[in-house]
C-alpha cells in the first residue's frame, strides 16, 4: 500500500526535500507526498524486459530517445509529480523544458513519446489519476501493464485476466486498446515492435 506523508506541499518543496537519503521513491499527488511501495521482483523483471526491448528498438531506428533512471513527469495544471516505471524521453526536446536543468523534470508532451506504468497494489492511480493527467498533458502513448490482473473489472473485464492497455492520443483523448495472451502489441511510437502481451507477462516469472 502507498503511504501518505505529512502536509500539503508545493512542487518546489517536494523536489527540495524528496527523495531523502533512504533511497525511497516518492510521488506528489495534488500537493500530497506519497511514499511508493517497494515493487515486487516480478514487477521489476517486467520493467527491465520492456526497457531492454524498447531501447533496442529506438537504437535500431537511430532515434534520439533515452530511458532515464529518476526523472519526474509534472502536469502543469496541478501540484503533482510522477515517477513512471518506464519513461521514454525525446532528448532533443529537453532544451525546451523549464524544470529540466534544476529538477530533472519534464512537463511537455513533446519530450515524452511513451510512458509505461506497471500496475501494483495502488492500481487506481495508474487507471484513473495518472491516466487523466497524462491525457491532459497530451502524452501521445501510455501503456498500463497489469500483469497481476489487479485493475477493476471495468478496465480489464470479467473474469479478470492479465491485460495491457495501450492508450493512444486521438483528438485530445485516449483511445484504449487491450492486449492479452498472444496478441501483438500495437504501438504507434514503435509500429514494428514485435512483442506480444504474453512475452511481457512471462518476463515476470523468470525462474
Amino acid at each position: 500500500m502507498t503511504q501518505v506523508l505529512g502536509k500539503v506541499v508545493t512542487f518546489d518543496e517536494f523536489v527540495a526535500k524528496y527523495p531523502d537519503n533512504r533511497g525511497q521513491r516518492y510521488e506528489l499527488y495534488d500537493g500530497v507526498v506519497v511514499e511508493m511501495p517497494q515493487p515486487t521482483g516480478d514487477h521489476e523483471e517486467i520493467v527491465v524486459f520492456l526497457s531492454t526491448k524498447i531501447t533496442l528498438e529506438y537504437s535500431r531506428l537511430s532515434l534520439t530517445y533515452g530511458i532515464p533512471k529518476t526523472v519526474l513527469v509534472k502536469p502543469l495544471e496541478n501540484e503533482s509529480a510522477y515517477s513512471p516505471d518506464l519513461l521514454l524521453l525525446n532528448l532533443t526536446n529537453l532544451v525546451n523544458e523549464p524544470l529540466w536543468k534544476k529538477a530533472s523534470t519534464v512537463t511537455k508532451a513533446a519530450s515524452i513519446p511513451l510512458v509505461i506504468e506497471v500496475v501494483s497494489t495502488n492500481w487506481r492511480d495508474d487507471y484513473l489519476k495518472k491516466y487523466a493527467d497524462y491525457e491532459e498533458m497530451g502524452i501521445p502513448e501510455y501503456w498500463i501493464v497489469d500483469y497481476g490482473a489487479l485493475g477493476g473489472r471495468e478496465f480489464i473485464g470479467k473474469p479478470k485476466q492479465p491485460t495491457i492497455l495501450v492508450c493512444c492520443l486521438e483528438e485530445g483523448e485516449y483511445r484504449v486498446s487491450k492486449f492479452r495472451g498472444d496478441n501483438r502489441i500495437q504501438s504507434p511510437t514503435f509500429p514494428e515492435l514485435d512483442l506480444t502481451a504474453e512475452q511481457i507477462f512471462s518476463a515476470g516469472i523468470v525462474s
Side-chain angles (χ1 to χ4, degrees):
M1 297 291 290
T2 55
Q3 180 180 354
V4 177
L5 304 179
K7 63 179 182 178
V8 172
V9 301
T10 67
F11 172 76
D12 288 339
E13 290 170 333
F14 172 72
V15 295
K17 184 175 181 181
Y18 299 93
D20 62 17
N21 58 12
R22 294 181 299 166
Q24 180 62 49
R25 182 182 173 205
Y26 299 92
E27 294 187 325
L28 186 66
Y29 292 11
D30 294 318
V32 176
V33 178
V34 176
E35 182 177 321
M36 306 306 290
Q38 178 67 17
T40 66
D42 288 348
H43 178 286
E44 293 300 274
E45 286 169 10
I46 288 173
V47 172
V48 170
F49 178 79
L50 285 171
S51 298
T52 300
K53 294 298 183 181
I54 290 172
T55 298
L56 289 171
E57 188 64 6
Y58 72 67
S59 297
R60 182 183 71 84
L61 297 170
S62 299
L63 298 172
T64 54
Y65 289 170
I67 297 176
K69 181 181 178 182
T70 52
V71 170
L72 294 173
V73 174
K74 184 189 184 312
L76 290 176
E77 295 76 13
N78 55 48
E79 292 295 326
S80 296
Y82 306 125
S83 177
D85 290 309
L86 192 154
L87 173 63
L88 183 66
L89 290 181
N90 176 1
L91 302 177
T92 60
N93 198 63
L94 295 180
V95 295
N96 299 315
E97 289 287 354
L99 300 173
W100 177 252
K101 291 295 186 181
K102 71 174 184 178
S104 62
T105 297
V106 289
T107 62
K108 300 179 183 297
S111 301
I112 311 167
L114 171 65
V115 62
I116 297 176
E117 299 286 2
V118 179
V119 176
S120 299
T121 52
N122 55 327
W123 61 266
R124 288 176 178 82
D125 298 332
D126 298 328
Y127 280 101
L128 298 172
K129 181 160 182 53
K130 291 181 181 181
Y131 178 100
D133 280 345
Y134 292 158
E135 182 182 64
E136 179 68 23
M137 291 178 69
I139 294 174
E141 187 172 351
Y142 170 38
W143 294 15
I144 302 173
V145 179
D146 194 346
Y147 71 97
L150 298 175
R153 295 180 182 88
E154 66 268 39
F155 303 112
I156 60 174
K158 182 180 179 180
K160 291 185 178 183
Q161 56 184 309
T163 305
I164 296 173
L165 283 68
V166 175
C167 313
C168 304
L169 201 69
E170 292 184 0
E171 299 180 354
E173 297 181 358
Y174 278 142
R175 174 180 57 81
V176 180
S177 300
K178 300 176 183 180
F179 301 91
R180 304 181 179 99
D182 61 0
N183 297 155
R184 179 176 171 271
I185 303 298
Q186 302 295 314
S187 167
T189 305
F190 299 110
E192 298 178 54
L193 185 65
D194 188 12
L195 200 58
T196 68
E198 185 56 39
Q199 285 176 308
I200 295 170
F201 298 141
S202 295
I205 54 175
V206 175
S207 60

